[in-house]
Amino acid sequence: MVLVLALGDLHVPHRAADLPPKFKSMLVPGKIQHIICTGNLCIKEIHDYLKTICPDLHIVRGEFDEDARYPESKTLTIGQFKLGLCHGHQVIPWGDLDSLAMLQRQLDVDILVTGHTHQFTAYKHEGGVVINPGSATGAYSSINQDVNPSFVLMDIDGLRVTIYVYELIDGEVKVDKIEFKKTSTTNPAP
Amino acid sequence: MRTFAGVEDEDKWLAEGIAGIQHNAFFMHRALDANNLREVLKYSVLMLSELRTSKLSPQKYYDLYMRAFDQLRQLEIFFKDESRHGLPVVDLYELVQHAGNILPRTYLLCTVGSVYIKSKQAPSKDVLKDLVEMCRGVQHPIRGLFLRSYLAQVSRDKLPEIGSDYEGDANTVMDAVEFVLQNFTEMNKLWVRVQQQGPGTVREKQEKERNELRDLVGKNLHVLGQIEGVDLEMYKETVLPRVVEQVVNCKDELAQYYLMECIIQVFPDEYHLQTLDTLLTACTQLMPTVDTKIVLTQLMDRLSNYAASSPDVLHEFLQVEAFAKLSNAIGKVIETQLEMPIVGAMTLFVSLLTFTLRVHPDRLDYVDQVLGACVVKLSSVPKLEDARAMKQVVALLSAPLEKYNDIVTALTLSNYPRVMDHLDDGTNKVMAMLIIQSIMKNDSCISTADKVEVLFELIKGLIKDLDGTNTEELDEEDFQEEQNSVARLIHMLDNEEPEEMLKIICVVRKHLMTGGPRRLPFTVPPLVFSALRLVRQLESQDGDIAGEDVPATPRAVFQILNQTIEVLSSVPCPELALRLYLQCAEAASDCDLEPVAYELFTQAFILYEEEIADSKEQVTAIHLIVGTLQRINVFGVENRDTLTHKATGYSARLLKKPDQCRAVYACSHLFWVDDLDGIKDGERALLCLRRALRIANAAQQMANATRGNSGPVTLFVEILNKYIYFFEKGNPHITPSDIQSLVELINNEMQSDNGNTTIHSDPFFTSTLRYIRFQKQKGGLMGEKYDPIKL
């Protein structure tokens, strides 16, 4: 069982002061093996904070990120799954699932994680799964009028991944669960 | 007069004294065994004569004294047993007074007196009175102190307290008190005189020696505190006034300091509360060198703890007007002690404030009063430079923050900003950061423009360069931390009423604009997004709200936004400004404000054309422009055409061919929006794709020319995917054969590697083909669509 935290679009301090306290108390160091972050943190303080939760931090560049050295996209293998990471402002139309499916095919990954829309989605299509963990702080978005703070926790176990989405709605944390199964194993990276 | 000799000499004398005591004690014991009273008395006198030495320091004298003390216990047992010596105690009492020297005589008298009282043949009070008078005969400070200490020790359990065996008549408690008070008074006088011997150069040593003796004097106060029957009334009328009288009159710095502390520690807090006037008056009458502020601080600390012990106690504080009295006393002390350094005064104010916050937290007027007194004192010094004093002022300002957990309460204290004004610039910023941290920690929300104004005045050290500071000197990381804190703070300013929120935004903007180019990139974005949130709120409500200065309409907010983002050109940071313009443009579109949206797009385009030169930045900027424009539906045909034309133009002129290709095919989406009433211009969309294809071809040729082999087919596969996208959406201008020929083109490209016979596979192409197959075998309309395509 491998726990992967997926979150992004925090937009601290441009659009939000900090993560919601209820989220902060849930994100305890040492429990999570990997963090994948869709970008738009935006400052180093948040980067450092995420590293305290888990030192294996993968992050891609959002258009408001202070650090311009984050890559535009990234792929990594966790267990039997290949994951792709990209902020999503590069994929036009923004939030369009077919266009994201194209990116997924291009990166050749089972799970594609993107952000930018501040809207949680988990979408299964022919080529795999597209996940958007939303905005962890519920930051303002020009794309989405009604943003609730949210993040995703993936439990990767063999050929199965269970996706837990945590959303803060009216002050309460609500959890939902989706499961996906791969049909074939990935060739291990050379 | 004791001369101060070397330690070795003292050790020698002590040894001699001890030997003397032991020698005479030996014979005394022999006499005790023989019940020979005469011999007992003779040797006890000789033994006690060792205590007549004036050569020893207090520590060493104590050593000697204790040995004698032990022997006197044995003696007392002998005296008590009349059967052994045959004399009634009255006669014994008479007999010992014939001893030659006064010191041994008085020790013996006290010892017999103890027995006398126990026999109850005379009232305790009479014997004690006699004894305490007799001790007057020994005026040598150290000898007298130990003698009286002996008297105190043997009399302790024989005081005529209420409930004791020796209880007397109605005045019994008074008698006990009187005895102890007298002993105390005389002991203090002796103690004070210890200092006056010896040359000035060894004053330090004298102080040390005096301190060694102080508990002998202080013990009397402990006893007073424990006497049964001493109630508040007696304490107030008799005990405290007499003690204080001695303290003040002795005019000795060491004694005054120690005894005031003693009083505060020994007697109960309820008593202190009821005798505040006496105590505080005494404080003002002490010698100027006494550190009164420590005394006052201790008193206030004790009273604070007392207040915290139970809520019922609070009304006592109000009844005795504790705050007013303490406040006045402190004021007086600061006024009269002119040499008191500023840090001392500040420490006192901190103690008083701590007291006030613990005892009267709801009395903000008291808190403000303390701050006000502090301001007055700070104004009397030209410039505050002492670091320790500064620290105290920071503690003073932090206390209300910690207590109230709500910055708004601290903001109502009128003297708070005035105190802050007296800090130097560096400390001012430290304090400002503490204020912000307090707000963040408590999740406070500041919701009126007035309070925001006060708050930003308080933190002005962070907002702008104060006179005399130079931002160049600041550490980069510290500066960023400061500005990010200010940025976060902006999100804590909120009001549900749009009118008030707009006022808040205007106040914040006014302050932020004074920040200068270094600060604006940090502070402008949160202000912009705060305003955009307001716009969204206004849009969701019906009707306009007429405000006083600025009516709260989206249009008005966009004006402010435009002017705000404009200021970023002075920094300059065009990339940030472009992003903010685009955010605002989309918001304006949501509000149906076409001219505003167009204007904002114009500003963004101008920035792109004139300011953004870095090619990587250009690529990102293009994607943001195209992505935003694609979503906007407010524009009429002409405006839209102008903007899309510009966007596609920029795309085609990016530096690197792959970037060009990708940007151009992204532009295809400008002509096809998947909404119900979105534009669906299939022809122009296809034109973009064809243009992208030409660019991809050119890129391949360039790769051939420069590297000798064809580059990766990625671009072609991407374009193929786009063809598929529009094909599926129903663009009539894209036919299955278009897709078919693209697939073949890619196959050819992959195989046409000069000299390379291996057919390399491209995973992207493979998965695209897989997708096509998947759609084909789906059946239904989609399957039909794909049917003509043969793979």
Side-chain angles (χ1 to χ4, degrees):
Chain A
M1 169 176 116
V2 178
L3 283 179
V4 182
L5 171 66
L7 81 174
D9 286 315
L10 292 93
H11 289 283
V12 173
H14 294 159
R15 309 187 199 183
D18 204 354
L19 275 163
K22 286 201 167 158
F23 280 0
K24 275 189 124 155
S25 60
M26 290 170 67
L27 296 174
V28 175
K31 297 271 171 68
I32 292 163
Q33 279 77 53
H34 309 276
I35 299 184
I36 52 182
C37 181
T38 56
N40 274 343
L41 294 180
C42 307
I43 50 178
K44 186 171 176 297
E45 275 176 46
I46 300 295
H47 183 118
D48 294 339
Y49 165 71
L50 289 177
K51 282 221 107 154
T52 66
I53 299 175
C54 165
D56 191 40
L57 172 63
H58 303 271
I59 179 166
V60 287
R61 183 170 169 240
E63 81 274 29
F64 278 95
D65 271 314
E66 171 186 85
D67 192 341
R69 294 166 305 173
Y70 298 145
E72 294 288 320
S73 72
K74 201 168 186 187
T75 57
L76 61 151
T77 306
I78 296 176
Q80 296 294 325
F81 285 88
K82 277 165 67 170
L83 291 97
L85 187 58
C86 177
H87 177 250
H89 64 268
Q90 306 92 331
V91 178
I92 292 162
W94 292 336
D96 180 70
L97 289 165
D98 293 316
S99 305
L100 288 171
M102 166 180 140
L103 177 62
Q104 181 151 17
R105 289 193 280 273
Q106 187 167 7
L107 294 176
D108 191 29
V109 292
D110 305 305
I111 302 173
L112 174 66
V113 182
T114 63
H116 190 53
T117 63
H118 298 204
Q119 170 72 49
F120 162 73
T121 52
Y123 173 65
K124 187 171 181 1
H125 63 102
E126 172 273 339
V129 174
V130 177
I131 299 174
N132 185 331
S135 161
T137 56
Y140 170 92
S141 163
S142 58
I143 299 167
N144 184 3
Q145 298 254 351
D146 200 11
V147 185
N148 289 315
S150 66
F151 67 87
V152 156
L153 204 55
M154 291 188 279
D155 182 354
I156 296 181
D157 192 1
L159 291 174
R160 193 176 61 229
V161 57
T162 312
I163 296 162
Y164 297 93
V165 56
Y166 297 81
E167 247 186 301
L168 188 65
I169 303 174
D170 292 330
E172 292 300 316
V173 178
K174 303 240 168 19
V175 190
D176 212 345
K177 184 171 89 161
I178 306 163
E179 285 199 17
F180 288 108
K181 228 176 157 144
K182 263 182 81 147
T183 46
S184 61
T185 56
T186 310
N187 295 327
Chain B
M1 179 87 103
R2 180 159 55 90
T3 54
F4 291 89
V7 178
E8 293 136 16
D9 290 327
E10 273 204 51
D11 284 338
K12 193 181 81 172
W13 293 325
L14 175 62
E16 283 172 7
I18 292 174
I21 288 183
Q22 284 172 337
H23 176 84
N24 290 303
F26 173 74
F27 288 110
M28 185 183 86
H29 279 281
R30 270 227 314 226
L32 285 172
D33 290 339
N35 289 336
N36 187 339
L37 181 61
R38 256 191 95 193
E39 291 286 291
V40 166
L41 290 179
K42 170 179 157 191
Y43 285 109
S44 60
V45 167
L46 284 171
M47 181 188 74
L48 288 168
S49 299
E50 294 298 335
L51 291 176
R52 291 178 61 209
T53 177
S54 38
K55 293 180 188 160
L56 295 176
S57 64
Q59 201 59 34
K60 303 253 187 307
Y61 190 91
Y62 175 73
D63 202 343
L64 201 60
Y65 163 85
M66 281 313 292
R67 289 169 198 270
F69 181 87
D70 289 337
Q71 300 305 328
L72 287 171
R73 298 280 56 70
Q74 307 284 343
L75 201 52
E76 185 173 339
I77 294 170
F78 176 70
F79 285 154
K80 187 150 182 245
D81 193 347
E82 189 177 330
S83 66
R84 284 172 71 179
H85 53 73
L87 270 189
V89 68
V90 182
D91 296 336
L92 197 50
Y93 194 78
E94 178 70 24
L95 183 59
V96 297
Q97 292 186 39
H98 296 307
N101 286 302
I102 182 157
L103 191 69
R105 186 196 319 159
T106 323
Y107 270 104
L108 286 176
L109 205 55
C110 290
T111 313
V112 176
S114 172
V115 176
Y116 198 178
I117 296 173
K118 274 207 208 150
S119 75
K120 298 199 186 165
Q121 291 180 29
S124 163
K125 78 162 196 230
D126 290 341
V127 180
L128 291 176
K129 191 161 186 321
D130 200 34
L131 290 173
V132 82
E133 289 289 321
M134 287 285 182
C135 288
R136 273 186 202 266
V138 180
Q139 281 299 314
H140 182 273
I142 293 181
R143 298 202 289 262
L145 266 172
F146 277 96
L147 173 63
R148 284 185 180 273
S149 183
Y150 180 69
L151 173 58
Q153 271 178 291
V154 300
S155 64
R156 179 67 194 91
D157 56 340
K158 300 170 185 80
L159 294 176
E161 306 173 70
I162 293 203
S164 87
D165 289 340
Y166 312 102
E167 188 175 344
D169 57 23
N171 276 333
T172 187
V173 181
M174 200 55 223
D175 295 328
V177 166
E178 193 56 53
F179 165 73
V180 179
L181 275 175
Q182 222 186 321
N183 206 22
F184 160 73
T185 307
E186 294 305 314
M187 283 177 83
N188 195 37
K189 289 182 189 167
L190 289 167
W191 184 40
V192 167
R193 284 174 43 220
V194 171
Q195 172 183 279
Q196 289 164 2
Q197 301 169 337
T201 50
V202 289
R203 188 131 303 187
E204 239 179 56
K205 190 168 178 226
Q206 289 185 54
E207 247 192 52
K208 178 171 173 288
E209 292 192 349
R210 280 206 57 200
N211 277 327
E212 286 167 0
L213 292 165
R214 68 185 189 188
D215 286 338
L216 297 179
V217 180
K219 189 83 177 35
N220 292 295
L221 295 180
H222 285 269
V223 172
L224 281 170
Q226 289 160 357
I227 295 178
E228 279 301 324
V230 174
D231 57 2
L232 174 60
E233 188 64 34
M234 185 172 288
Y235 175 79
K236 202 169 163 180
E237 298 299 316
T238 310
V239 176
L240 186 63
R242 289 274 295 275
V243 172
V244 161
E245 189 186 343
Q246 172 55 216
V247 170
V248 172
N249 288 346
C250 75
K251 292 201 191 333
D252 177 81
E253 174 195 336
L254 216 69
Q256 286 182 340
Y257 181 70
Y258 170 69
L259 289 173
M260 285 306 291
E261 275 201 330
C262 242
I263 294 171
I264 292 170
Q265 302 300 338
V266 166
F267 295 106
D269 300 318
E270 311 114 84
Y271 284 17
H272 293 321
L273 207 51
Q274 300 297 330
T275 55
L276 264 182
D277 287 316
T278 315
L279 280 175
L280 294 175
T281 312
C283 281
T284 58
Q285 294 170 335
L286 302 177
M287 302 296 284
T289 43
V290 175
D291 198 350
T292 329
K293 57 182 190 302
I294 298 188
V295 175
L296 286 169
T297 306
Q298 279 189 2
L299 178 61
M300 284 190 282
D301 285 345
R302 280 197 72 105
L303 291 175
S304 299
N305 288 332
Y306 180 51
S309 66
S310 117
D312 305 323
V313 146
L314 282 173
H315 84 271
E316 279 178 46
F317 280 83
L318 290 166
Q319 187 212 3
V320 305
E321 291 173 25
F323 173 77
K325 289 183 183 160
L326 286 166
S327 183
N328 285 335
I330 287 173
K332 237 178 153 179
V333 164
I334 292 177
E335 228 180 293
T336 50
Q337 292 196 2
L338 296 165
E339 320 89 48
M340 188 196 286
I342 191 79
V343 60
M346 290 303 117
T347 314
L348 266 173
F349 282 127
V350 171
S351 293
L352 180 58
L353 187 63
T354 312
F355 170 83
T356 314
L357 287 172
R358 288 178 82 170
V359 178
H360 302 292
D362 52 325
R363 293 296 299 260
L364 292 174
D365 54 332
Y366 284 174
V367 177
D368 210 17
Q369 204 180 316
V370 177
L371 292 176
C374 189
V375 171
V376 169
K377 181 64 188 173
L378 285 170
S379 307
S380 70
V381 296
K383 193 177 150 124
L384 192 61
E385 276 165 355
D386 181 7
R388 291 172 309 154
M390 208 79 77
K391 228 172 139 195
Q392 288 298 326
V393 177
V394 170
L396 191 74
L397 292 170
S398 303
L401 291 180
E402 281 153 24
K403 175 72 188 177
Y404 293 121
N405 277 341
D406 175 12
I407 187 66
V408 181
T409 313
L411 290 175
T412 60
L413 299 167
S414 64
N415 285 310
Y416 197 95
R418 291 186 199 137
V419 175
M420 267 192 84
D421 279 339
H422 285 276
L423 294 170
D424 70 54
D425 293 340
T427 318
N428 201 306
K429 291 209 287 186
V430 168
M431 197 60 227
M433 288 294 279
L434 284 174
I435 290 174
I436 295 181
Q437 277 160 22
S438 167
I439 295 173
M440 302 301 304
K441 191 180 73 148
N442 296 312
D443 214 13
S444 312
C445 178
I446 296 102
S447 55
T448 65
D450 297 327
K451 293 273 178 337
V452 172
E453 180 71 49
V454 176
L455 177 62
F456 272 72
E457 264 302 308
L458 282 180
I459 62 172
K460 62 183 180 234
L462 300 175
I463 302 290
K464 62 184 179 193
D465 294 337
L466 299 173
D467 301 324
T469 51
N470 184 0
T471 36
E472 304 307 315
E473 294 164 355
L474 282 170
D475 176 63
E476 185 63 35
E477 262 194 45
D478 288 344
F479 180 74
Q480 283 184 9
E481 201 190 326
E482 276 178 22
Q483 296 309 309
N484 282 327
S485 292
V486 173
R488 292 193 203 216
L489 175 66
I490 292 172
H491 298 292
M492 311 305 285
L493 315 172
D494 192 35
N495 192 317
E496 279 176 4
E497 292 296 311
E499 209 183 300
E500 191 64 33
M501 189 62 211
L502 185 56
K503 280 195 207 155
I504 290 176
I505 287 174
C506 291
V507 168
V508 173
R509 180 172 181 275
K510 181 185 76 175
H511 284 272
L512 293 182
M513 292 296 121
T514 63
R518 257 191 105 185
R519 293 187 173 83
L520 290 171
F522 294 94
T523 54
V524 164
L527 179 63
V528 166
F529 285 105
S530 195
L532 286 175
R533 282 197 291 266
L534 176 60
V535 166
R536 187 164 276 170
Q537 187 190 350
L538 284 170
E539 209 25 45
S540 65
Q541 288 175 345
D542 292 317
D544 289 339
I545 300 145
E548 290 161 9
D549 315 287
V550 187
T553 63
R555 191 184 294 271
V557 182
F558 281 114
Q559 259 186 340
I560 295 172
L561 280 167
N562 207 343
Q563 289 164 357
T564 306
I565 303 173
E566 228 169 50
V567 175
L568 287 176
S569 62
S570 69
V571 177
C573 45
E575 295 87 3
L576 178 61
L578 179 130
R579 284 152 174 73
L580 294 175
Y581 276 128
L582 292 176
Q583 290 281 336
C584 294
E586 194 167 349
S589 166
D590 289 338
C591 295
D592 263 333
L593 294 169
E594 185 179 354
V596 176
Y598 190 81
E599 172 62 27
L600 291 163
F601 256 102
T602 310
Q603 295 295 337
F605 280 25
I606 291 174
L607 279 175
Y608 180 85
E609 284 178 26
E610 297 181 3
E611 308 284 341
I612 298 178
D614 177 82
S615 26
K616 191 159 175 259
E617 278 301 333
Q618 282 182 341
V619 173
T620 310
I622 283 289
H623 278 115
L624 294 175
I625 289 172
V626 173
T628 310
L629 193 49
Q630 196 264 346
R631 298 177 50 81
I632 288 188
N633 50 17
V634 75
F635 290 126
V637 173
E638 268 187 36
N639 280 338
R640 192 174 174 84
D641 273 350
T642 313
L643 295 175
T644 52
H645 180 75
K646 273 266 172 198
T648 41
Y650 296 152
S651 305
R653 285 194 294 278
L654 286 170
L655 179 62
K656 298 184 210 165
K657 289 260 178 266
D659 290 335
Q660 276 182 22
C661 178
R662 292 186 172 110
V664 166
Y665 76 59
C667 287
S668 66
H669 292 282
L670 290 175
F671 305 105
W672 191 284
V673 176
D674 215 13
D675 279 337
L676 288 167
D677 48 355
I679 175 178
K680 287 185 177 65
D681 189 341
E683 195 179 336
R684 288 172 84 181
L686 181 57
L687 275 173
C688 287
L689 294 185
R690 290 214 181 114
R691 199 168 174 187
L693 206 48
R694 283 198 296 279
I695 298 171
N697 267 318
Q700 281 296 63
Q701 284 169 12
M702 269 170 55
N704 263 323
T706 54
R707 272 175 266 141
N709 59 351
S710 58
V713 293
T714 313
L715 288 176
F716 291 116
V717 183
E718 290 175 37
I719 297 169
L720 168 63
N721 274 271
K722 285 298 167 189
Y723 265 80
I724 291 171
Y725 177 92
F726 287 107
F727 177 64
E728 290 193 0
K729 296 288 182 199
N731 185 339
H733 300 270
I734 296 181
T735 66
S737 63
D738 288 328
I739 296 182
Q740 185 86 55
S741 30
L742 245 186
V743 170
E744 278 154 28
L745 169 71
I746 295 170
N747 272 320
N748 289 337
E749 282 296 320
M750 281 178 18
Q751 289 166 5
S752 73
D753 223 347
N754 296 348
N756 216 340
T757 51
T758 56
I759 298 171
H760 49 224
S761 68
D762 181 279
F764 188 13
F765 187 43
T766 311
S767 52
T768 309
L769 293 177
R770 189 190 66 222
Y771 174 73
I772 296 175
R773 284 190 201 101
F774 180 80
Q775 296 293 74
K776 272 167 75 76
Q777 46 92 93
K778 237 185 188 174
L781 283 171
M782 195 55 75
E784 276 178 33
K785 253 182 142 70
Y786 274 94
D787 192 52
I789 300 173
K790 309 292 177 220
L791 294 176

